[in-house]
Amino acid sequence: MTDDGSKPKWRRVVVKLSGEALQGDQSHGLDPAVVDKIARDLARAASLGVEVAVVVGGGNFFRGIQGADKGIERARADSIGMLATVMNALALEYAIEKAGQSARVLSAVPMPSLCEPYSRQAALHHLGKQRIVILAGGTGNPFFTTDTGAALRGCELSCDAILKATQVDGVYSADPKYNPDATRYDTLTHDEAIARNLAVMDTAAFALARENKIPIIVFSIRSDGAICDALEGKGTATLVMP
């Protein structure tokens, strides 16, 4: 996925991080060592000249759909989940700045005493200043996942690719943790991902990326330097193409 094997192909990307990626091997919450590792990787990506936006989930603290399953009204449960993404974003912002790279949190749920409200203009301004932009609050609306939020922001910010960080090294026909016979795909189209109901991202996210012709690179976040490797076409990943 590089032109010459060493330089990133994409000028601007959105990286989708799950909340679970930040908890490491813990049952919930944040693992500071893991957060620092991911922050260093993001800082290095920015140092390569790539404009980096990050959409972060909140499942390490609270997942809206699970709250709804336990009897909380779905819209309210999703609102709690949005707040969880802001906690993760603030922790990641601090870790990135500690790694020597400027960063800004922008939240789709306005809370100006903690971070800037999201707007396309503000995000583009910070990206143009080579700051990593951490996008919290999902889409700002219930019933939408942070995967859909990543696809939406990727479209709004004219990103060249969406980097979807997961716990496995690509897209499989089934969860390889539970099905050792699951088939791994090197490449897919958005239509194939939707038709096969591949659960690595939800249908709305795949559809948004398809309509705007944005490729999705699915890779494992567990190894050191995984984000930069994905940018440089190294390591193992699945490319979902228009």
Side-chain angles (χ1 to χ4, degrees):
M1 284 173 256
T2 57
D3 291 324
D4 60 5
S6 61
K7 294 183 179 179
K9 178 178 179 180
W10 298 294
R11 176 183 59 89
R12 180 183 297 157
V13 299
V14 58
V15 179
K16 170 56 175 53
L17 288 175
S18 67
E20 288 87 344
L22 303 178
Q23 75 185 34
D25 294 325
Q26 300 178 160
S27 61
H28 65 282
L30 295 165
D31 183 329
V34 172
V35 174
D36 285 346
K37 181 186 78 169
I38 292 172
R40 289 193 298 270
D41 198 8
L42 288 166
R44 180 171 173 262
S47 75
L48 297 174
V50 180
E51 295 180 5
V52 181
V54 183
V55 170
V56 64
N60 54 325
F61 287 115
F62 189 91
R63 188 180 293 277
I65 195 165
Q66 292 175 348
D69 289 341
K70 294 178 180 179
I72 303 174
E73 179 189 27
R74 175 63 189 273
R76 196 169 305 242
D78 280 353
S79 295
I80 299 169
M82 291 179 215
L83 297 179
T85 71
V86 177
M87 292 192 288
N88 284 334
L90 291 171
L92 192 58
E93 178 189 46
Y94 172 69
I96 291 170
E97 291 184 339
K98 190 169 62 172
Q101 168 64 41
S102 181
R104 292 290 188 279
V105 174
L106 275 62
S107 174
V109 181
M111 44 186 76
S113 62
L114 296 177
C115 56
E116 290 185 46
Y118 171 79
S119 72
R120 179 175 182 269
Q121 292 82 359
L124 291 173
H125 169 77
H126 290 306
L127 288 171
K129 296 290 186 179
Q130 292 299 308
R131 296 168 183 144
I132 294 176
V133 174
I134 308 162
L135 302 167
T139 67
N141 300 284
F143 302 101
F144 291 95
T145 68
T146 49
D147 281 345
T148 299
L152 175 63
R153 300 302 182 227
C155 297
E156 282 186 313
L157 301 176
S158 303
C159 290
D160 302 313
I162 298 167
L163 273 59
K164 164 71 173 177
T166 71
Q167 300 299 308
V168 293
D169 60 353
V171 180
Y172 285 77
S173 59
D175 191 335
K177 294 178 183 177
Y178 304 105
N179 185 351
D181 297 323
T183 300
R184 185 187 165 280
Y185 303 103
D186 286 325
T187 60
L188 286 165
T189 66
H190 297 99
D191 284 331
E192 288 172 334
I194 293 169
R196 297 175 189 177
N197 197 29
L198 300 174
V200 67
M201 295 183 86
D202 60 81
T203 300
F206 279 129
L208 266 174
R210 177 188 63 189
E211 290 165 12
N212 292 275
K213 297 181 173 58
I214 302 177
I216 303 169
I217 298 85
V218 183
F219 64 101
S220 171
I221 193 62
R222 299 183 72 87
S223 60
D224 290 342
I227 295 168
C228 285
D229 284 349
L231 282 170
E232 296 176 341
K234 301 174 183 175
T236 305
T238 297
L239 176 61
V240 185
M241 304 176 294

